[in-house]
């Protein structure tokens, strides 16, 4: 069975072991979820479901410090960033509580066939497979729209954040959700595959690695189930010669170091115009190297650990391989000595398409630097990627920035801001970054039966 353990990555101390769920427990959870889907709670008046979301938002707002501390201890996020994650979760729950009824109103269509409209209905139980890097936010992105719609969710969280997983499930129950609305399952990949194959499950949402996404999508496709995937990213941070350099450096360093660089939408490839490259590199390097590693619960710490020893060692191997294939290491490139899973802020340059690093995602505090002479070269470099999740463009010329943003092949682009998230903004990508959208009005319709009704006339 898959081991579910809570280990503090700041000191590698085991906090608690968690028992996995056996086949009987999984079947019971599925039966309960399916029964709920067929009940009036899922298919009737939306207001009781929205009241659960409203109460969930209130509970999270009341317990920000408690929830943040659990996350910081379990996966190493800086305490201020953990507080921010709890708050955005509350805002997502509140957003759907306030807007879902409007999103799900019937939509009329002009037609020569007669009076026509689309209705939105739940489709059944959904499986969610979620990662550790935002242990509450990833869950809330699936829960809130599907609870409002009426789809029960069976959730398999990452095996290194079981405390966060159980805490979230307890909050949902305390908010008044009935049994089956959200089921936390400590299960293996094989058990996930069995769930997807079950006829009572109608869809699967995954956020995670390419490998996991490919496996889930294959199983979903085999059984003709709808799937959404939010996978990796290798986002560009494009700084033009007329950018506000001070702000670009500040936000660029923040984007690369936040969550110790373990963010799918984080800036990873810094593409800088040659006219300001020297100044940008000098300022950006100073900002990265000023990061202070330490205890994530200490407010003075600005660089936390990676999530695990395995994550740190994988990143170290990637950097070593990049250098072996010709990349220049401007600074960093080593694990930080002592206890914990810390890695130095690192800057690589001189990369070529022949270097494996050119197409890889570095999930940690490692930045890649590229220098270009034109907008055309910047777009070509940005689009020479297997990924297409987010990105940002920095320029005082908004018309120029808008043109570039439209040309970059990615799911999201921010102008004069690092990539961000908000309940009202759709989240998702293209290429190997996945498909489908979460959040906003689009997210609530991914797993809806968009049913056409026509009155002939």
């Amino acid at each position: 069975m898959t081991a579910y353990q809570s280990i503090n990555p700041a000191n590698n101390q085991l906090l608690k072991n968690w028992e996995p769920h056996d086949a009987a427990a999984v079947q019971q959870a599925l039966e309960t979820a399916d029964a709920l889907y067929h009940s009036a709670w899922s298919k009737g008046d939306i207001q009781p479901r929205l009241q659960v979301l409203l109460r969930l938002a209130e509970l999270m707002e009341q317990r920000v410090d408690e929830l943040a501390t659990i996350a910081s201890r379990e996966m190493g996020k800086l305490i201020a960033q953990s507080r921010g994650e709890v708050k955005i979760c509350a805002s997502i729950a509140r957003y759907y509580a306030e807007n879902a009824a409007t999103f799900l109103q019937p939509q009329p269509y002009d037609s020569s066939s007669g009076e026509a409209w689309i209705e939105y209905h739940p489709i059944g139980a959904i499986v969610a497979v979620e990662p550790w890097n935002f242990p509450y936010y990833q869950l809330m992105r699936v829960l809130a729209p599907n609870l409002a719609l009426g789809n029960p969710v069976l959730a398999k969280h990452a095996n290194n954040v079981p405390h966060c997983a159980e805490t979230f499930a307890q909050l949902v129950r305390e908010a008044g959700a009935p049994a089956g609305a959200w089921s936390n399952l400590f299960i293996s990949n094989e058990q996930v595959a069995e769930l997807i194959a079950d006829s009572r499950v109608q869809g699967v949402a995954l956020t995670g690695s390419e490998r996991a996404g490919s496996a889930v999508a294959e199983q979903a496709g085999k059984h003709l189930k709808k799937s959404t995937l939010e996978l990796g990213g290798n986002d560009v941070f494009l700084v033009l010669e007329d950018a506000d350099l001070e702000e670009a450096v500040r936000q660029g360093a923040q984007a690369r170091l936040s969550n110790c660089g373990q963010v799918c939408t984080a800036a990873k490839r810094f593409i800088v115009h040659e006219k300001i490259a020297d100044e940008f590199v000098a300022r950006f390097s100073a900002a990265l190297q000023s990061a202070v590693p330490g205890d994530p619960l200490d407010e003075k710490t600005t660089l936390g650990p990676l999530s695990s020893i395995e994550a740190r060692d994988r990143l170290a191997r990637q950097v070593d391989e990049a250098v072996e294939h010709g990349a220049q290491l401007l600074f960093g490139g080593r694990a930080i000595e002592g206890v914990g899973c810390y890695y130095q802020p690192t800057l690589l340059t001189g990369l070529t398409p022949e270097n494996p690093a050119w197409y890889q995602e570095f999930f940690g505090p490692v930045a890649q630097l590229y220098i270009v002479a034109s907008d055309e070269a910047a777009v070509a470099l940005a689009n020479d990627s297997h990924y297409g999740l987010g990105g940002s463009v920095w320029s005082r010329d908004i018309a120029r920035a808008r043109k570039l943003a439209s040309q970059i092949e990615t799911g999201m682009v921010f102008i004069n801001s690092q990539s961000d998230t908000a309940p009202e903004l759709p989240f998702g990508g293209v290429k190997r970054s996945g498909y489908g959208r979460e959040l906003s009005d689009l997210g609530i319709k991914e797993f809806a039966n968009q049913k056409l009704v026509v009155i002939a006339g």
Side-chain angles (χ1 to χ4, degrees):
M1 297 292 287
T2 301
Y4 279 80
Q5 294 183 316
S6 181
I7 298 174
N8 186 343
N11 55 26
N12 291 324
Q13 291 184 356
L14 175 65
L15 300 175
K16 186 178 178 180
N17 285 305
W18 304 77
E19 287 297 319
H21 290 96
D22 60 17
V26 174
Q27 281 302 308
Q28 181 60 60
L30 182 53
E31 289 174 11
T32 303
D34 186 58
L36 182 65
Y37 166 66
H38 288 96
S39 74
W41 194 86
S42 282
K43 299 189 175 185
D45 182 9
I46 192 175
Q47 288 304 318
R49 302 195 298 273
L50 301 188
Q51 289 304 308
V52 172
L53 287 174
L54 189 60
R55 178 57 179 153
L56 181 58
E58 294 169 348
L59 288 173
M60 297 193 84
E61 288 165 347
Q62 293 164 7
R63 301 178 188 177
V64 170
D65 286 338
E66 173 194 343
L67 298 173
T69 299
I70 292 171
S72 290
R73 284 180 174 157
E74 191 163 54
M75 57 74 56
K77 193 189 304 287
L78 299 185
I79 187 64
Q81 294 172 14
S82 291
R83 293 190 193 106
E85 180 178 343
V86 176
K87 291 175 183 177
I88 189 68
C89 286
S91 70
I92 293 169
R94 191 178 300 278
Y95 173 78
Y96 282 106
E98 295 175 350
N99 293 283
T102 300
F103 294 155
L104 299 176
Q105 285 294 309
Q107 180 182 348
Y109 277 77
D110 290 332
S111 174
S112 60
S113 298
E115 183 182 357
W117 66 92
I118 289 288
E119 297 177 352
Y120 299 98
H121 299 281
I123 60 173
I126 304 299
V127 171
V129 181
E130 301 301 324
W132 46 263
N133 57 337
F134 290 90
Y136 301 126
Y137 166 72
Q138 302 286 6
L139 303 185
M140 185 62 81
R141 286 199 325 208
V142 179
L143 168 77
N146 281 292
L147 192 148
L149 180 60
N151 289 329
V153 180
L154 301 151
K156 181 239 181 285
H157 212 339
N159 62 355
N160 62 330
V161 288
H163 194 179
C164 289
E166 185 176 80
T167 300
F168 187 86
Q170 290 171 344
L171 283 168
V172 175
R173 289 194 296 270
E174 189 173 343
W182 179 267
S183 302
N184 173 55
L185 295 174
F186 294 148
I187 55 177
S188 67
N189 295 337
E190 291 74 21
Q191 288 172 297
V192 170
E194 291 170 1
L195 272 177
I196 295 171
D198 193 288
S199 62
R200 291 166 289 185
V201 167
Q202 296 302 311
V204 55
L206 176 139
T207 297
S209 67
E210 282 184 69
R211 179 192 57 77
S214 177
V216 162
E218 180 181 17
Q219 182 73 345
K222 178 180 177 181
H223 295 280
L224 302 179
K225 307 293 177 68
K226 170 70 180 287
S227 63
T228 60
L229 303 179
E230 193 272 282
L231 308 178
N234 204 6
D235 292 3
V236 295
F237 192 95
L238 174 54
V239 185
L240 303 178
E241 74 277 11
D242 64 346
D244 180 339
L245 199 57
E246 181 178 354
E247 187 62 12
V249 167
R250 186 187 73 81
Q251 290 203 39
Q254 185 181 73
R256 189 72 295 260
L257 297 179
S258 179
N259 213 27
C260 197
Q262 301 168 118
V263 184
C264 52
T265 57
K268 299 183 177 83
R269 294 184 294 154
F270 290 79
I271 302 175
V272 183
H273 195 282
E274 62 181 9
K275 290 183 179 179
I276 47 97
D278 289 345
E279 186 176 1
F280 178 87
V281 171
R283 292 190 185 190
F284 185 57
S285 298
L288 290 181
Q289 291 177 291
S290 69
V292 180
D295 183 351
L297 296 176
D298 186 338
E299 300 282 359
K300 297 188 292 294
T301 298
T302 57
L303 180 68
L306 281 95
S307 62
S308 66
I309 292 175
E310 293 77 16
R312 183 199 63 192
D313 292 348
R314 182 166 54 249
L315 182 67
R317 288 194 298 271
Q318 278 185 284
V319 172
D320 290 345
E321 182 182 44
V323 173
E324 289 169 4
H325 283 81
Q328 297 174 325
L329 181 65
L330 296 186
F331 56 82
R334 294 288 181 271
I336 297 175
E337 294 184 1
V339 298
C341 306
Y342 296 86
Y343 193 85
Q344 295 173 341
T346 298
L347 184 58
L348 295 171
T349 191
L351 292 118
T352 66
E354 293 71 37
N355 195 316
W358 183 275
Y359 293 108
Q360 290 177 347
E361 177 183 28
F362 284 73
F363 219 54
V366 177
Q368 300 179 20
L369 173 69
Y370 301 88
I371 298 173
V372 295
S374 67
D375 291 5
E376 293 74 18
V379 170
L381 178 55
N383 290 341
D384 188 11
S385 173
H386 296 156
Y387 298 99
L389 189 55
S392 60
V393 177
W394 292 78
S395 173
R396 288 187 170 92
D397 185 340
I398 300 302
R400 179 186 180 192
R402 289 179 63 152
K403 181 179 178 181
L404 289 170
S406 294
Q407 294 174 335
I408 295 173
E409 297 168 349
T410 190
M412 304 171 282
V413 182
F414 288 75
I415 295 174
N416 293 330
S417 169
Q418 61 183 295
S419 295
D420 204 352
T421 187
E424 68 275 11
L425 297 178
F427 189 105
V430 295
K431 300 182 182 180
R432 293 188 188 175
S433 291
Y435 49 78
R437 293 296 182 267
E438 293 182 322
L439 302 177
S440 78
D441 61 317
L442 301 185
I444 200 170
K445 296 173 183 177
E446 284 286 358
F447 293 104
N449 175 10
Q450 301 182 39
K451 184 198 299 183
L452 173 66
V453 182
V454 180
I455 302 175

